[in-house]
Amino acid sequence: MNEFIKHLNRIEVIETMACTGHCKHCSEGDHAGFTDHLDGTCAAKAIDEICLVYNIDSLMVFGGEPLLYPEDVCKIFKAGKMARIRRRDLITNGYFSKDKAAIHDVAEKLADSGVNRILLSVDAFHQETIPLEPVMTFATCIHNAGIKTELSPAWLVSQEDNNPYNVKTREILRLFMDIGLDMGVGNVIWPEGNARIYLKEYFDLSKDYVNPYEDDPKNLLSVSIEADGKVLKGNIYQNSIIKILEDYKP
Ligand code: SF4
């Protein structure tokens, strides 16, 4: 087994980089012009193959906004469930349609797919460009469908800081808690992508900020399948995922 990957325990899937939000804190920057999305069948096959070799404990699907492609997302979670991955999380901003029937349908499909936690990104930043009403409809539908859902806000400076964004975020969170959703830990914004441009007054840019989500390249714990199929130095549309992992060098 490749010595740099022998502790692999997590698969991340970026379903698409297209997004319905235009958030000023987004670490990925501007999402304009992205049209790719990952084929769910192909991603499911890769997950299946990885799980035959590695002891994967966590599967996380995110974007962009992954629910722009709900059928593919559901195929990915079904594969995760079949492969007995214990934690199967979806991160979504909850806004992919304004049509109540379509939102309800996606919630029902998700409940059936094997996702076992949804992290709903709602806060002052998301709600600057994402309307509240369809997100609340979605939140109500997934809650009623019995999917464990946690509110996952982005905090500026820290969760305790009382800057105007955090004050607004607390107001928004109360609306979602009123429909019965639980509060999750969320995350603290670090200066990357849009945040480095639009929120720079909140950071000391002479300081080195460490990306909390980056792995040691000599000991990868997680592997990320991108929206165009790229993984490490290969692509699941062209190469065997196991061969890609075997060939990896930092
Ligand atoms: S923070 Fe999330 S919802 Fe906002 S633009 Fe970035 S990916 Fe989209």
Side-chain angles (χ1 to χ4, degrees):
M1 186 179 283
N2 185 332
E3 61 174 312
F4 305 118
I5 303 200
K6 62 186 178 198
H7 296 124
L8 186 74
N9 62 16
R10 172 181 165 88
I11 302 171
E12 296 180 351
V13 179
I14 301 169
E15 176 52 36
T16 180
M17 287 296 281
C19 195
T20 50
H22 306 277
C23 303
K24 67 164 61 131
H25 73 303
C26 185
S27 62
E28 292 162 356
D30 184 3
H31 289 259
F34 286 107
T35 50
D36 274 345
H37 77 279
L38 192 61
D39 176 72
T41 305
C42 213
K45 181 169 175 285
I47 290 166
D48 195 32
E49 290 174 6
I50 295 172
C51 290
L52 288 175
V53 180
Y54 296 89
N55 192 10
I56 302 296
D57 187 51
S58 164
L59 169 67
M60 179 172 271
V61 180
F62 55 99
E65 177 38 56
L67 291 180
L68 289 169
Y69 301 98
E71 308 289 340
D72 294 282
V73 168
C74 288
K75 284 181 188 169
I76 291 166
F77 283 116
K78 278 190 179 138
K81 188 176 180 191
M82 287 289 287
R84 297 176 193 269
I85 299 176
R86 188 175 61 92
R87 290 161 53 205
R88 302 181 297 269
D89 294 338
L90 171 68
I91 304 181
T92 172
N93 66 35
Y95 180 43
F96 48 93
S97 172
K98 285 184 176 161
D99 179 330
K100 285 189 177 162
I103 295 170
H104 183 263
D105 184 52
V106 168
E108 292 292 315
K109 286 192 169 116
L110 283 171
D112 196 38
S113 72
V115 62
N116 56 19
R117 187 174 62 154
I118 293 181
L119 301 174
L120 187 62
S121 305
V122 285
D123 50 50
F125 299 102
H126 287 86
Q127 268 51 68
E128 274 186 338
T129 59
I130 294 173
L132 205 49
E133 200 186 318
V135 182
M136 293 204 70
T137 302
F138 176 67
T140 306
C141 288
I142 51 177
H143 185 58
N144 291 344
I147 307 173
K148 179 178 166 58
T149 304
E150 288 179 8
L151 301 170
S152 183
W155 299 106
L156 187 58
V157 183
S158 69
Q159 182 168 350
E160 296 73 34
D161 196 79
N162 274 325
N163 63 70
Y165 290 106
N166 286 359
V167 171
K168 181 75 188 164
T169 291
R170 288 184 200 110
E171 268 173 39
I172 291 168
L173 293 174
R174 275 194 286 276
L175 298 174
F176 285 89
M177 287 193 272
D178 284 349
I179 56 174
L181 299 196
D182 291 333
M183 189 57 211
V185 288
N187 59 80
V188 175
I189 298 167
W190 76 98
E192 197 177 323
N194 283 353
R196 204 174 173 90
I197 302 167
Y198 301 115
L199 300 168
K200 59 175 181 260
E201 64 272 29
Y202 289 95
F203 302 104
D204 174 1
L205 293 179
S206 63
K207 210 169 106 184
D208 267 347
Y209 286 87
V210 178
N211 182 340
Y213 301 109
E214 227 156 67
D215 262 358
D216 173 358
K218 290 190 177 150
N219 181 23
L220 286 191
L221 303 180
S222 83
V223 71
S224 181
I225 306 175
E226 296 178 29
D228 58 2
K230 280 194 197 124
V231 186
L232 300 172
K233 289 176 183 145
N235 189 306
I236 58 167
Y237 290 131
Q238 284 131 31
N239 319 103
S240 137
I241 184 68
I242 297 305
K243 182 86 172 73
I244 295 172
L245 297 178
E246 276 169 6
D247 290 349
Y248 169 73
K249 288 192 187 75

